[in-house]
Amino acid sequence: MELYDAKKDEQFSRGYIDIDEMRVRKLENGCSIPFRYMHGGFEGTPVKFSFCFPEKDRYEGRFYQYLSPFPGPEEELASIPVTGIDDKIAFCLTHGAYYVESNMGSGAIFTNSDDHTMTHRSSAASAEFSRIKAQEVYGYEHRPYGYVYGGSGGGYRTIACIENTNAFDGAAPYVIGSPYAIPNCQTTRAHAERLLRNKLPQIIDAVDAGGSGDPYAGLNEEEADALREATFFGYPSKSWFASADLDDGSLSVLLPGIKAMDPDYFEDFWKKPGYLGADKNSSAVRERICMDTRVKLVYEPNRKEKALQKTVDTRNGVNDAWKKMISSASEKSEPWIELAEIPVGENLYLKGAQMEFLGGEAKGKKLQIGRIEDNRVYIIEGFGMDTIAETISLVNVGDEVHLDNSDYIAVQTYHRHQVPTPDYRAWDQFRDEEGTPLYPQQKNLVGPIFCGMGPGCEQNGRINGKIIIVAALMDEQAYPWQADWYRRKVASVHGGKDEDYCRLWYFDNVLHGDITGTEDELHVTSYVAGLKQALIDLAAWVEKGIEPLPSSNYTVDIGHVCVPETAAERGGIQPVANLRVNGEKCAHAKVGETISFEVEAEVPEGAGTLTFVEWSFEGEEDFPVKGEFTLCDGGVRGSARQEHTYLKPGIYFGVVRVKSERHGDKSELFTQVRNIDRVRVIVEA
């Protein structure tokens, strides 16, 4: 296959620089690092980029280029305001590299252009132009090594770059999906969340430390089936705590695209046998809202019009980049519309519910429903919705409106009607013994279409360089088996072997998100330090032939990735912690009784040594108790002990966080690889 060569592409032949100046980056440890900042683009295109060059004595002849999941028009600026250990630019400046980021040719959020190859072509062009500027900055002729990385949707784009262009020497795609990830990971999760929303607390408790281990206890048949379906599909059991807020992630953003590609489905779902909505006794019918009513009163919050200072949108991570596409309410207090009639019933399902105006000045406009209290419908921001303030200003008493959640319920079982080839084992539950789908199938499998709309191509495994894949064992958005799918795809085009080209490192107790400060530090930790170590190891592999540590040892059981208990057996680069309270995972104690917590920690061979151990006993997410390891075997293994006394009865979770670093350097800001473990303590009066 002929690779794309940006140097020969006339479209990107006229690069320009409109900002060229010295700046200073301040690190979390107080140090300041000067760097040369350039901003520019390509004439005749919407492509813009930013380059951040370290001073010559820090430069080692490479660059790292980050690709966002959903690049916006000003994506090239998104990383500049970021500080702390999530600072991508500072990481590069301190590790011998300059930083590259572009908007990937995005003239509008979500879709790059009619040309879906724009993502990898413009990324390659930005990389090549950065090489020209690097020669000017450092004053000698050379070809900087280039490494591209990105997660989730950015992972698709990263793979497109390393498979289809000659601009990069290596890649680090992380928390990646398969060609059928979208929208199927989102729909399986949403379907289960809808049916299990009243039972989530007990499911979360069952799979937590010291729990019963039986998440099906107390579920009715319909609920158990929903849990089983999501579990077989790959939703990690320990991740249910992340569904407690019923946040379906980017599904609301994907829904309009699904409906545009397959409008018949949303009619067939409610009418034709074999679809859940056609069963009059189904949960879909029971929870459907589809009614007309009239406006009784409109509340539009008073607000003083002020000139808003333009700020850079820094949301470019795997869990928040898509939020740039949601319209903003812009009010400080919630607007609401009182209706003559509202849906009847307890525990109404309002996720994805919309209000459409059928008459009056606001005719045809749509708003997202947040919640309903009394007869008041509270409005929230939503993708594809009209501007809240402008729409409400047009609404009058007596206007007819339509309330509807039909499409959002219908899409939640779309995966049943999208059964791909047999190598996608997560769909086995939807096939009979002969492999025939159990449910009616739609004409088109939309997963690869979505895949093509972003990066411009479907993964083929034909990488042109080295890759290190970082995956999360608790990934609630891109289920963990998909990283293995891509590893096997690479092996399939390289004689059945991938060791010379690819590594896959799984990280335990981490979710999809790529921000170091997680949504719940007591349930999960972050893989971000491991990702940065992967970038360092990738450069050493390409530039010096130093092979990275082998891929993690794991097995795939249909939709679940299973890893060994110990670090020695598990491999990869993440330390493993085993915490006990009074020698158990669950202990009973009396108020005022001193109890003992002990952790045994271990680092995989060659991955470094233990550096930090931190404790939380009463729900503190900053781990206020700092401990010290008793180390052995050169710091590969260690233990730590801590005592604590609870002064009030209740159920507590003791949590330990351990860190390791490749060289045992406690002062290293960016590569302290983390893991956690939990125990349960039941304190009685």
Side-chain angles (χ1 to χ4, degrees):
M1 184 179 69
E2 184 177 356
L3 297 177
Y4 170 74
D5 188 343
K7 299 186 296 297
K8 299 178 181 178
D9 191 338
E10 181 64 26
Q11 185 177 17
F12 300 113
S13 63
R14 298 181 301 280
Y16 65 86
I17 298 295
D18 54 15
I19 300 176
D20 185 351
E21 62 189 22
M22 291 300 298
R23 294 185 179 183
V24 174
R25 205 78 180 170
K26 291 191 175 181
L27 305 186
E28 195 174 56
N29 61 8
C31 294
S32 296
I33 300 180
F35 68 99
R36 186 169 171 180
Y37 174 74
M38 292 186 187
H39 178 275
F42 293 101
E43 293 180 8
T45 79
V47 179
K48 298 178 184 177
F49 48 71
S50 286
F51 305 150
C52 300
F53 296 99
E55 293 188 307
K56 193 171 185 177
D57 61 346
R58 290 182 175 271
Y59 177 59
E60 297 175 4
R62 72 181 68 96
F63 67 86
Y64 293 117
Q65 183 167 341
Y66 175 71
L67 305 186
S68 172
F70 289 95
E74 295 183 338
E75 175 62 35
E76 82 281 5
L77 306 176
S79 296
I80 293 173
V82 178
T83 59
I85 53 180
D86 290 318
D87 186 342
K88 301 178 182 71
I89 298 172
F91 166 73
C92 291
L93 300 178
T94 55
H95 288 82
Y98 65 86
Y99 180 75
V100 176
E101 187 165 10
S102 79
N103 67 358
M104 295 180 249
S106 180
I109 293 173
F110 191 46
T111 54
N112 291 319
S113 69
D114 292 335
D115 177 8
H116 298 307
T117 68
M118 178 62 82
T119 286
H120 64 260
R121 292 194 304 110
S122 65
S123 296
S126 298
E128 295 294 6
F129 191 64
S130 80
R131 288 187 167 109
I132 295 173
K133 305 315 290 184
Q135 293 187 39
E136 296 177 7
V137 169
Y138 298 113
Y140 64 97
E141 186 175 340
H142 69 298
R143 179 191 178 277
Y145 291 99
Y147 306 98
V148 62
Y149 73 108
S152 193
Y156 285 121
R157 301 171 194 275
T158 296
I159 290 169
C161 285
I162 199 66
E163 287 185 347
N164 296 282
T165 82
N166 63 6
F168 302 99
D169 302 285
Y174 61 97
V175 293
I176 56 175
S178 69
Y180 294 93
I182 302 172
N184 302 297
C185 289
Q186 291 84 358
T187 58
T188 49
R189 176 184 176 184
H191 174 66
E193 285 177 347
R194 177 173 63 82
L195 286 171
L196 298 171
R197 65 188 187 277
N198 298 321
K199 301 292 180 67
L200 281 177
Q202 67 192 58
I203 294 171
I204 294 167
D205 186 76
V207 299
D208 205 346
S212 69
D214 182 9
Y216 294 92
L219 303 186
N220 62 35
E221 182 178 358
E222 187 177 48
E223 293 165 340
D225 286 344
L227 178 57
R228 193 172 295 109
E229 180 175 315
T231 301
F232 285 166
F233 208 86
Y235 190 93
S237 297
K238 289 196 301 183
S239 299
W240 280 110
F241 85 93
S243 286
D245 59 0
L246 303 182
D247 182 357
D248 298 333
S250 59
L251 182 57
S252 62
V253 170
L254 299 171
L255 177 56
I258 302 168
K259 192 168 183 180
M261 286 185 275
D262 194 0
D264 292 344
Y265 170 81
F266 295 88
E267 294 290 331
D268 295 344
F269 178 84
W270 298 105
K271 298 176 181 179
K272 292 187 177 182
Y275 295 87
L276 185 64
D279 178 358
K280 294 182 179 180
N281 297 316
S282 71
S283 64
V285 174
R286 186 169 63 248
E287 299 196 311
R288 184 184 189 187
I289 296 172
C290 185
M291 63 174 291
D292 294 339
T293 181
R294 291 187 179 276
V295 174
K296 191 174 181 180
L297 185 65
V298 180
Y299 171 68
E300 183 180 5
N302 293 323
R303 61 188 190 280
K304 295 179 180 179
E305 299 293 342
K306 295 182 178 179
L308 298 178
Q309 183 178 357
K310 183 177 175 59
T311 59
V312 175
D313 194 334
T314 63
R315 293 176 295 179
N316 68 346
V318 298
N319 265 2
D320 62 2
W322 62 271
K323 295 178 181 178
K324 293 183 290 189
M325 297 177 288
I326 295 178
S327 60
S328 175
S330 75
E331 281 90 8
K332 292 183 178 180
S333 57
E334 289 182 287
W336 50 261
I337 296 175
E338 186 173 338
L339 301 177
E341 297 176 297
I342 59 168
V344 178
E346 297 181 1
N347 194 28
L348 293 171
Y349 184 72
L350 297 176
K351 288 287 296 183
Q354 300 176 3
M355 174 188 295
E356 180 178 2
F357 294 89
L358 303 180
E361 294 180 75
K363 183 177 180 180
K365 292 188 177 294
K366 295 181 179 180
L367 297 175
Q368 195 80 47
I369 297 173
R371 70 183 194 279
I372 297 177
E373 293 181 5
D374 298 324
N375 276 45
R376 294 177 179 178
V377 176
Y378 288 83
I379 307 303
I380 60 174
E381 58 187 20
F383 177 67
M385 299 294 103
D386 291 290
T387 304
I388 296 175
E390 178 184 343
T391 301
I392 287 184
S393 69
L394 300 175
V395 177
N396 295 298
V397 173
D399 286 351
E400 189 175 4
V401 298
H402 179 71
L403 310 183
D404 207 321
N405 66 359
S406 303
D407 289 348
Y408 202 74
I409 288 179
V411 79
Q412 293 172 1
T413 49
Y414 194 65
H415 52 275
R416 296 179 180 178
H417 311 279
Q418 291 281 292
V419 177
T421 52
D423 54 317
Y424 291 91
R425 296 290 310 282
W427 274 268
D428 283 357
Q429 61 187 306
F430 307 126
R431 302 182 178 102
D432 63 18
E433 294 181 357
E434 284 73 39
T436 303
L438 299 173
Y439 298 99
Q441 296 298 293
Q442 299 306 111
K443 294 179 181 178
N444 295 317
L445 296 173
V446 303
I449 299 174
F450 270 110
C451 181
M453 285 173 61
C457 53
E458 184 178 333
Q459 303 104 304
N460 57 43
R462 299 187 185 94
I463 58 174
N464 302 286
K466 310 290 189 182
I467 65 168
I468 298 179
I469 306 166
V470 168
L473 285 172
M474 287 178 62
D475 198 323
E476 80 289 9
Q477 301 284 356
Y479 301 155
W481 60 262
Q482 296 173 109
D484 169 71
W485 178 89
Y486 186 67
R487 178 191 178 186
R488 289 186 290 107
K489 176 63 72 173
V490 172
S492 72
V493 297
H494 290 93
K497 295 183 178 181
D498 66 297
E499 306 88 54
D500 293 338
Y501 310 93
C502 175
R503 294 290 187 272
L504 167 52
W505 291 336
Y506 277 107
F507 288 77
D508 198 7
N509 298 310
V510 297
L511 295 170
H512 190 67
D514 58 354
I515 297 175
T516 302
T518 66
E519 61 188 67
D520 186 337
E521 288 288 284
L522 303 181
H523 272 92
V524 293
T525 189
S526 169
Y527 59 80
V528 171
L531 171 62
K532 290 184 169 68
Q533 186 63 57
L535 291 171
I536 295 170
D537 291 351
L538 182 64
W541 194 8
V542 170
E543 297 166 24
K544 301 177 181 179
I546 300 173
E547 292 208 9
L549 292 176
S551 295
S552 301
N553 294 312
Y554 63 91
T555 58
V556 181
D557 181 11
I558 305 180
H560 271 274
V561 175
C562 307
V563 295
E565 291 294 323
T566 68
E569 297 173 304
R570 186 179 298 183
I573 67 169
Q574 185 187 32
V576 173
N578 184 5
L579 178 62
R580 292 290 185 268
V581 54
N582 289 346
E584 305 290 340
K585 291 302 287 184
C586 180
H588 291 258
K590 296 290 186 181
V591 169
E593 177 184 348
T594 299
I595 55 178
S596 177
F597 296 82
E598 185 169 3
V599 63
E600 299 284 341
E602 181 184 10
V603 183
E605 183 179 357
T609 59
L610 295 164
T611 50
F612 294 98
V613 56
E614 305 165 324
W615 305 85
S616 171
F617 298 115
E618 302 197 30
E620 312 96 334
E621 292 204 24
D622 60 348
F623 291 84
V625 180
K626 310 301 180 183
E628 290 288 339
F629 277 118
T630 300
L631 298 173
C632 60
D633 296 331
V636 172
R637 280 183 285 276
S639 62
R641 183 184 179 92
Q642 199 74 37
E643 293 182 340
H644 189 73
T645 302
Y646 291 98
L647 303 180
K648 295 180 180 180
I651 297 177
Y652 297 86
F653 288 91
V655 187
V656 67
R657 182 167 66 191
V658 304
K659 301 177 184 178
S660 66
E661 205 279 327
R662 179 62 56 84
H663 306 290
D665 184 357
K666 290 187 176 182
S667 66
E668 168 59 52
L669 296 176
F670 298 105
T671 55
Q672 302 289 339
V673 184
R674 304 179 176 193
N675 207 341
I676 65 167
D677 199 19
R678 291 164 59 87
V679 292
R680 184 187 304 240
V681 184
I682 301 172
V683 181
E684 300 165 344

